[in-house]
């Protein structure tokens, strides 16, 4: 087990040091007093007291480790935005390949979290929009929020947290995931499963099989983010999956058109 008792004091916040010091005083004094009183007569009790002291100190160190990890992430976010500020004029060049820009952004943001995703829109009315996405990973919600909170104010740029809900025109589009795989939202359906306030979804589409499941799942997840809004979908839906469309009439009768999903999730959220 690794301990951090000898970490330089300058790297620890004052409130953390105070907490550690007071915790050590309150925990150590009675324990060492008890050890002195027990002497060598009760080895079992001494071992118990040693264990209490050991885990108490380990707990204090874990708190310091967590705080320093949070500080480190904030520093990485600051480093990322400093890099972005230095390069944003180059990114605004109309002749630059946006795919190359995205790759540069991903490479530099990977120091913060490798699972982060980014979407960039071409300049419109003098504004370029950069969306920072958790890519469906709920644990990254605070990171995305912190990145937007720390984002610089740069003329000509708009930074957006999470993929936003698109207009209803999306339901009439066909989404091509590859030459042979497509999703047609107007023909997709869903089955909601609500139990004890928890919402799970099964999304149905035609042509889903073992070979294309991974592509369908990722492409379908992007579709759901655009239909509902990424943040709302992550925070309101506990689990979801994609299944091939059933063929039996009694099974089909239980399903709802995918176009009704945004309103269904809104109602589910309102009932909480």
């Amino acid at each position: 087990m690794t301990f951090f008792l000898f970490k330089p004091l300058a790297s620890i916040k004052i409130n953390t040091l105070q907490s550690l010091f007071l915790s050590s005083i309150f925990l150590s004094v009675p324990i060492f007093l008890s050890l002195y009183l027990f002497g060598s007569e009760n080895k079992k009790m001494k071992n118990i007291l040693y264990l209490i002291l050991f885990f108490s100190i380990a707990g204090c160190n874990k708190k310091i480790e967590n705080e320093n990890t949070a500080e480190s992430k904030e520093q990485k976010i600051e480093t990322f935005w400093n890099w972005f500020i230095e390069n944003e004029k180059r990114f605004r060049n109309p002749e630059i390949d946006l795919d190359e820009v995205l790759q540069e952004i991903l490479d530099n943001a990977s120091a913060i979290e490798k699972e982060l995703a980014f979407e960039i829109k071409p300049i419109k009315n003098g504004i370029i929009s950069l969306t920072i996405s958790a890519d469906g990973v709920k644990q990254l919600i605070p990171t995305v929020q912190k990145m937007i909170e720390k984002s610089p104010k740069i003329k000509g740029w708009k930074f957006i947290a999470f993929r936003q809900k698109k207009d209803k025109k999306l339901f009439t589009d066909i989404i091509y995931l590859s030459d042979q795989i497509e999703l047609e939202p107007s023909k997709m359906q869903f089955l909601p499963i609500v139990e004890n306030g928890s919402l799970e979804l099964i999304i149905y589409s035609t042509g889903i099989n073992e070979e294309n499941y991974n592509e369908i799942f990722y492409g379908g997840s992007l579709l759901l983010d655009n239909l509902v809004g990424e943040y709302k979908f992550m925070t309101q839906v506990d689990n979801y999956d994609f299944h091939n469309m059933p063929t039996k009439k009694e099974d089909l009768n239980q399903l709802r058109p995918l176009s009704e999903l945004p309103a269904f999730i809104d109602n589910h959220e309102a009932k909480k």
Side-chain angles (χ1 to χ4, degrees), residues 209-243:
N209 54 50
E210 291 184 4
E211 293 181 357
N212 63 24
Y213 175 81
N214 290 335
E215 286 185 82
I216 292 286
F217 188 91
Y218 187 73
S221 297
L222 295 179
L223 169 63
L224 295 173
D225 285 348
N226 290 326
L227 291 178
V228 179
E230 180 186 5
Y231 181 79
K232 176 166 284 191
F233 191 83
M234 283 193 296
T235 55
Q236 298 304 317
V237 178
D238 295 285
N239 201 4
Y240 67 100
D241 199 5
F242 290 84
H243 289 188

Side-chain angles (χ1 to χ4, degrees), residues 8-19:
L9 298 183
S11 69
I12 305 175
K13 290 183 178 179
I14 295 300
N15 60 346
T16 304
L17 282 171
Q18 291 172 339
S19 174

Side-chain angles (χ1 to χ4, degrees), residues 127-158:
I127 302 293
I128 301 177
S129 297
L130 179 67
T131 297
I132 305 176
S133 165
D135 212 21
V137 182
K138 293 182 181 181
Q139 292 79 1
L140 293 185
I141 289 177
T143 300
V144 173
Q145 292 170 330
K146 180 61 69 174
M147 289 188 72
I148 294 298
E149 178 188 328
K150 297 293 183 180
S151 63
K153 297 185 183 300
I154 307 176
K155 185 178 180 180
W157 285 92
K158 181 179 181 181

Side-chain angles (χ1 to χ4, degrees), residues 174-184 206-209 211-220 222:
I174 297 177
I175 302 169
Y176 295 96
L177 304 179
S178 69
D179 292 338
Q180 299 178 336
I181 304 173
E182 63 183 41
L183 291 173
E184 195 166 355
T206 57
I208 299 178
N209 54 50
E211 293 181 357
N212 63 24
Y213 175 81
N214 290 335
E215 286 185 82
I216 292 286
F217 188 91
Y218 187 73
L222 295 179

Side-chain angles (χ1 to χ4, degrees), residues 23-249:
S23 298
S24 300
I25 292 296
F26 285 115
L27 290 169
S28 302
V29 170
I31 291 175
F32 282 118
L33 181 59
S34 300
L35 289 170
Y36 173 77
L37 292 175
F38 279 112
S40 60
E41 297 177 359
N42 193 330
K43 290 184 179 180
K44 183 176 181 180
M45 182 58 70
K46 285 180 68 177
N47 290 335
I48 292 174
L49 291 171
Y50 276 128
L51 282 173
I52 293 173
L53 181 60
F54 171 80
F55 285 111
S56 298
I57 293 174
C60 291
N61 286 319
K62 187 64 177 176
K63 181 180 179 181
I64 293 175
E65 181 185 1
N66 290 339
E67 290 198 10
N68 285 331
T69 299
E71 289 175 350
S72 176
K73 180 168 287 189
E74 287 202 18
Q75 290 170 355
K76 290 176 181 178
I77 290 173
E78 183 177 347
T79 298
F80 169 81
W81 285 123
N82 288 338
W83 166 83
F84 189 90
I85 290 170
E86 292 175 359
N87 291 274
E88 62 90 13
K89 288 183 180 178
R90 180 168 58 86
F91 296 158
R92 289 174 58 82
N93 185 338
E95 296 181 1
I96 196 170
D97 187 339
L98 289 182
D99 288 338
E100 292 181 4
V101 172
L102 270 180
Q103 190 57 56
E104 280 194 57
I105 291 173
L106 282 169
D107 290 342
N108 281 272
S110 64
I112 304 169
E113 289 287 355
K114 294 186 179 187
E115 293 85 357
L116 288 170
F118 295 81
E119 296 176 1
I120 190 168
K121 289 185 178 179
I123 189 167
K124 183 179 180 181
N125 298 325
I127 302 293
I128 301 177
S129 297
L130 179 67
T131 297
I132 305 176
S133 165
D135 212 21
V137 182
K138 293 182 181 181
Q139 292 79 1
L140 293 185
I141 289 177
T143 300
V144 173
Q145 292 170 330
K146 180 61 69 174
M147 289 188 72
I148 294 298
E149 178 188 328
K150 297 293 183 180
S151 63
K153 297 185 183 300
I154 307 176
K155 185 178 180 180
W157 285 92
K158 181 179 181 181
F159 304 112
I160 302 168
F162 309 108
R163 298 183 183 108
Q164 300 298 297
K165 180 180 179 180
K166 299 290 195 304
D167 57 38
K168 291 184 179 181
K169 182 178 178 296
L170 186 64
F171 289 107
T172 63
D173 293 338
I174 297 177
I175 302 169
Y176 295 96
L177 304 179
S178 69
D179 292 338
Q180 299 178 336
I181 304 173
E182 63 183 41
L183 291 173
E184 195 166 355
S186 62
K187 295 182 179 179
M188 296 172 68
Q189 301 195 63
F190 75 99
L191 175 68
I193 303 170
V194 181
E195 187 174 352
N196 298 324
S198 174
L199 172 61
E200 297 186 355
L201 299 172
I202 300 177
I203 313 296
Y204 290 92
S205 182
T206 57
I208 299 178
N209 54 50
E210 291 184 4
E211 293 181 357
N212 63 24
Y213 175 81
N214 290 335
E215 286 185 82
I216 292 286
F217 188 91
Y218 187 73
S221 297
L222 295 179
L223 169 63
L224 295 173
D225 285 348
N226 290 326
L227 291 178
V228 179
E230 180 186 5
Y231 181 79
K232 176 166 284 191
F233 191 83
M234 283 193 296
T235 55
Q236 298 304 317
V237 178
D238 295 285
N239 201 4
Y240 67 100
D241 199 5
F242 290 84
H243 289 188
N244 194 43
M245 189 72 72
T247 55
K248 294 181 179 179
K249 186 176 180 180

Side-chain angles (χ1 to χ4, degrees), residues 247-265:
T247 55
K248 294 181 179 179
K249 186 176 180 180
E250 56 267 30
D251 293 332
L252 290 169
N253 289 338
Q254 301 180 53
L255 308 186
R256 304 180 183 212
L258 191 63
S259 59
E260 295 179 5
L261 182 60
F264 184 91
I265 291 179

